[in-house]
Amino acid sequence: MNHDLLMKRCIDLGKKALGKTYPNPNVGALLFYDGKIISEGFTQEHGKNHAEINAIKKVNDREILKKSTLYVTLEPCSHYGKTPPCCEAIYNKQIRKVVIGINDPNKLVNGRGISFLRNNNIDVKTNILENECKKLHKRFLTFQNKKRPYVILKWAESFDGFISPINNKNKRPFWISNKFSRQLVHKWRSQEHGILIGGKTYINDSPILNSRLWDNNDPKKFVLTNNTNIKDSKFLKINYKNKLSAKQICEELYKSDIQSVIVEGGTKTLTTFINDGIWDEARIIQSSKTIVEGIKSPKIRGKIYTEFEILNDQIKFMVSN
């Protein structure tokens, strides 16, 4: 029985649910019996089954369940919420072995799930592929541990380093990236809980900010503004009288239970997060187009961990040092 290999499969299952489970984490789980995987599951949308339950419900033979090992990326919940505790379901089905990726830092769980299982004579192994499971659950962990959303900065820039022309007369976004890169951006949006722009970007571009080119799993939309004339019901306003710090913006998002946010601009909003050192990832699309005269793109320093090309667009992923 290769714990790492089976946990890797759970991680892959959890990735399938990314963006569709908020405010719950995107957990993956499976049942292993007699040398093979007999059932798999991942967390559904809020109010529906967690990953463990979806895996368990697919096995009708109670005797097989008793002899199976449950693998799960995150500690099973031990409290009543929209659904009953997963720990009780594991106990009631008499599953005797559980392998867990990482503990759940949520104060409603935080070791109680593991304690419940062990106190009921269930063999529990923890910290299997710990770093990989932390990466899968980085949004949830950041929200729980740092009391702020996981922050992703995103922008497209021209080859000569501009984020937009000086004047945008048609009140729609000026497309720097190609259509395939834009579809990728819509995939990114579908995976995050919220999306944030500044008031100037809202006025200049009238952006839609949805994931229509991917799967229509849209994030909640926020605009940072003190403009009282902005009364768009599709956007939630973060109001300010004086300049807000990134910490203050994150505090407002945290109050709205936003676990992850993709910040799409403009330069002033992006630079606020960069200068305050509050960001987790940056995703930068550099086009082969030139603008010659425009608004300079943000300057950022971090560690590049992925680079690839989509036609003539260069995509760069960075993490903060």
Side-chain angles (χ1 to χ4, degrees):
M1 188 183 300
N2 188 320
H3 292 324
D4 286 0
L5 189 61
L6 292 166
M7 188 59 69
K8 176 63 170 61
R9 177 57 187 165
C10 289
I11 291 169
D12 290 341
L13 290 166
K15 289 177 181 177
K16 294 177 181 290
L18 181 57
K20 298 176 173 65
T21 64
Y22 291 116
N24 294 326
N26 53 309
V27 177
L30 63 82
L31 284 163
F32 186 80
Y33 169 71
D34 195 24
K36 59 182 179 291
I37 296 170
I38 60 169
S39 179
E40 298 179 333
F42 49 80
T43 301
Q44 293 175 272
E45 59 266 31
H46 186 45
K48 293 189 178 180
N49 289 333
H50 292 187
E52 304 94 313
I53 305 303
N54 281 327
I56 290 169
K57 288 184 72 173
K58 293 175 183 176
V59 180
N60 296 320
D61 191 326
R62 195 177 183 93
E63 292 304 310
I64 287 179
L65 279 174
K66 290 180 184 180
K67 300 172 186 176
S68 298
T69 301
L70 175 70
Y71 286 76
V72 61
T73 57
L74 187 70
E75 176 182 2
C77 65
S78 56
H79 63 286
Y80 282 86
K82 292 281 187 180
T83 58
C86 292
C87 284
E88 290 188 7
I90 295 167
Y91 170 72
N92 290 337
K93 294 295 184 181
Q94 297 181 281
I95 296 170
R96 306 317 309 164
K97 294 182 180 180
V98 179
V99 179
I100 297 169
I102 55 174
N103 288 28
D104 186 340
N106 185 338
K107 64 182 181 180
L108 297 174
V109 185
N110 197 18
R112 292 185 182 89
I114 292 170
S115 295
F116 176 92
L117 296 174
R118 285 178 171 158
N119 290 338
N120 283 282
N121 299 315
I122 295 172
D123 179 14
V124 179
K125 287 182 172 59
T126 61
N127 300 325
I128 306 300
L129 286 191
E130 182 178 3
N131 290 334
E132 290 86 343
C133 288
K134 284 181 177 178
K135 184 177 179 181
L136 172 69
H137 296 305
K138 59 191 177 184
R139 296 158 177 84
F140 179 72
L141 296 177
T142 298
F143 185 79
Q144 295 295 331
N145 294 328
K146 296 185 178 181
K147 309 304 179 189
R148 67 163 174 84
Y150 187 86
V151 176
I152 299 170
L153 309 180
K154 172 266 163 183
W155 70 87
E157 62 184 28
S158 64
F159 188 75
D160 49 354
F162 296 103
I163 199 170
S164 67
I166 288 178
N167 295 311
N168 186 14
K169 297 179 181 179
N170 65 0
K171 300 296 181 183
R172 292 294 300 132
F174 177 84
W175 300 118
I176 294 174
S177 56
N178 64 50
K179 64 180 182 179
F180 302 105
S181 297
R182 293 200 293 275
Q183 185 180 35
L184 177 61
V185 170
H186 284 223
K187 178 183 178 181
W188 295 343
R189 289 175 180 172
S190 76
Q191 295 172 339
E192 307 311 330
H193 203 181
I195 189 167
L196 172 72
I197 59 169
K200 188 173 181 180
T201 299
Y202 178 89
I203 296 296
N204 290 345
D205 294 352
S206 302
I208 300 172
L209 299 181
N210 62 18
S211 59
R212 63 193 179 279
L213 299 180
W214 189 250
D215 66 358
N216 292 310
N217 185 47
D218 298 334
K220 294 182 180 179
K221 291 178 274 193
F222 293 84
V223 57
L224 181 65
T225 182
N226 59 1
N227 188 337
T228 57
N229 292 323
I230 295 178
K231 298 177 180 179
D232 189 335
S233 62
K234 297 183 180 66
F235 282 79
L236 299 170
K237 288 172 66 174
I238 298 178
N239 293 302
Y240 66 96
K241 293 181 180 179
N242 302 308
K243 184 179 182 295
L244 286 180
S245 67
K247 182 175 182 290
Q248 290 170 314
I249 296 168
C250 284
E251 285 172 352
E252 292 301 313
L253 293 168
Y254 182 79
K255 289 177 187 175
S256 297
D257 292 325
I258 299 300
Q259 291 185 15
S260 68
V261 64
I262 184 165
V263 182
E264 289 210 21
T267 297
K268 181 180 176 182
T269 302
L270 288 161
T271 301
T272 296
F273 284 88
I274 294 169
N275 289 347
D276 290 354
I278 298 180
W279 61 279
D280 299 289
E281 288 184 39
R283 300 175 183 178
I284 304 162
I285 303 170
Q286 186 183 62
S287 170
S288 59
K289 294 178 183 176
T290 57
I291 291 179
V292 180
E293 188 177 9
I295 298 170
K296 281 285 188 181
S297 59
K299 302 301 178 186
I300 192 168
R301 296 179 67 181
K303 179 182 178 182
I304 299 172
Y305 73 93
T306 299
E307 286 186 281
F308 56 94
E309 180 180 330
I310 299 179
L311 292 182
N312 292 319
D313 286 353
Q314 300 295 323
I315 317 294
K316 180 166 60 178
F317 280 40
M318 301 176 70
V319 290
S320 58
N321 292 324

